[in-house]
Amino acid sequence: MTARPPGYGSRVTEETTFGSLTIAYDDRVLRPREWTTAQSDWAAELAATVPPGPILELCAGAGQIGLLAVAGTDRRLVCVDASDVACDFARANASAAGLAQRVEVRQARLENALASDEAYPLVIADPPWVLRTETGQFPEDPLLAIDGGDDGLDVARACLRVIRQHLAPGGSAVLQLGTTEQATRLEHDEGLDTGDLRLVEARRFPRGALVRIDRA
């Protein structure tokens, strides 16, 4: 166990290993999934090639994916989540990792989180992607952290709107989804096969999928 972040009352704070980091969370925050270190690793690889600037993480939760992505770089990280609990954990985890000076955590809805002139060369997004009719299969998970709407893509589409507005030229985004079929639907529905924003690669994993979106 780890010391609880301030204000966490009698809740039990747990710890888990996430790559090279130790991440704290409780039952109000989605438990870090080991497989999602692949999203951090992919983002870290891209960080070596995209233009200079900070990394943006959307639907950050306890912050583990973004924190692991920047841990081996000198880039700053901006984490966004609507949950005050998740934001408190993201701040505590950044501090525990020795990254507090490079990490800004913003509690906000996606549509309100960024100023109109902010641009990021790399965006990480981990939206809920479980179909609403299937959320009952995961009773241990906070509903708001997994409910992706009727087709599982409601929040992913909201993340994509932010990516359209704020991904810098020559930049990349790594978006987590449930399946590559969801990736295909998102690509077709959102026009990611035309224009300057393209879905360039999808990777399937046993428990989810990752897609890379590039801006020309």
Side-chain angles (χ1 to χ4, degrees):
M1 299 293 180
T2 187
R4 299 185 183 102
Y8 275 59
S10 60
R11 295 269 181 172
V12 175
T13 298
E14 300 184 61
E15 285 185 345
T16 189
T17 299
F18 191 79
S20 61
L21 303 180
T22 299
I23 299 297
Y25 66 98
D26 70 18
D27 60 5
R28 295 169 293 177
V29 179
L30 189 67
R31 176 179 56 82
R33 268 59 169 167
E34 183 178 357
W35 81 268
T36 61
T37 58
Q39 188 171 14
S40 304
D41 293 342
W42 199 358
E45 291 173 11
L46 292 169
T49 62
V50 297
I55 295 173
L56 173 66
E57 182 179 16
L58 304 174
C59 305
Q64 68 275 2
I65 295 174
L67 292 172
L68 184 59
V70 302
T73 78
D74 59 0
R75 291 185 186 258
R76 294 187 300 110
L77 174 68
V78 176
C79 293
V80 173
D81 201 283
S83 165
D84 59 339
V85 175
C87 288
D88 283 347
F89 271 115
R91 293 185 186 99
N93 287 323
S95 180
L99 297 171
Q101 297 303 312
R102 289 198 280 130
V103 177
E104 176 188 353
V105 180
R106 301 182 188 179
Q107 182 194 350
R109 294 180 62 83
L110 291 171
E111 62 270 23
N112 301 322
L114 305 178
S116 60
D117 61 348
E118 288 185 73
Y120 295 85
L122 183 57
V123 179
I124 300 167
D126 180 19
W129 46 254
V130 177
L131 275 64
R132 181 162 293 154
T133 55
E134 298 178 2
T135 56
Q137 299 177 26
F138 309 97
E140 72 281 7
D141 293 332
L143 182 61
L144 289 178
I146 63 171
D147 185 354
D150 291 343
D151 64 355
L153 292 173
D154 284 359
V155 188
R157 292 188 182 95
C159 288
L160 187 57
R161 287 193 288 273
V162 176
I163 292 168
R164 284 190 187 280
Q165 295 170 7
H166 298 282
L167 184 63
S172 296
V174 182
L175 174 68
Q176 186 183 142
L177 298 172
T179 64
T180 52
E181 288 75 19
Q182 284 184 328
T184 299
R185 167 173 270 187
L186 194 67
E187 180 181 27
H188 292 162
D189 290 355
E190 301 299 325
L192 296 179
D193 47 0
T194 60
D196 73 327
L197 205 63
R198 297 289 187 99
L199 195 159
V200 297
E201 186 179 356
R203 298 181 182 178
R204 184 192 301 268
F205 295 85
R207 293 183 176 273
L210 300 174
V211 298
R212 173 181 169 181
I213 298 168
D214 284 0
R215 167 154 276 154

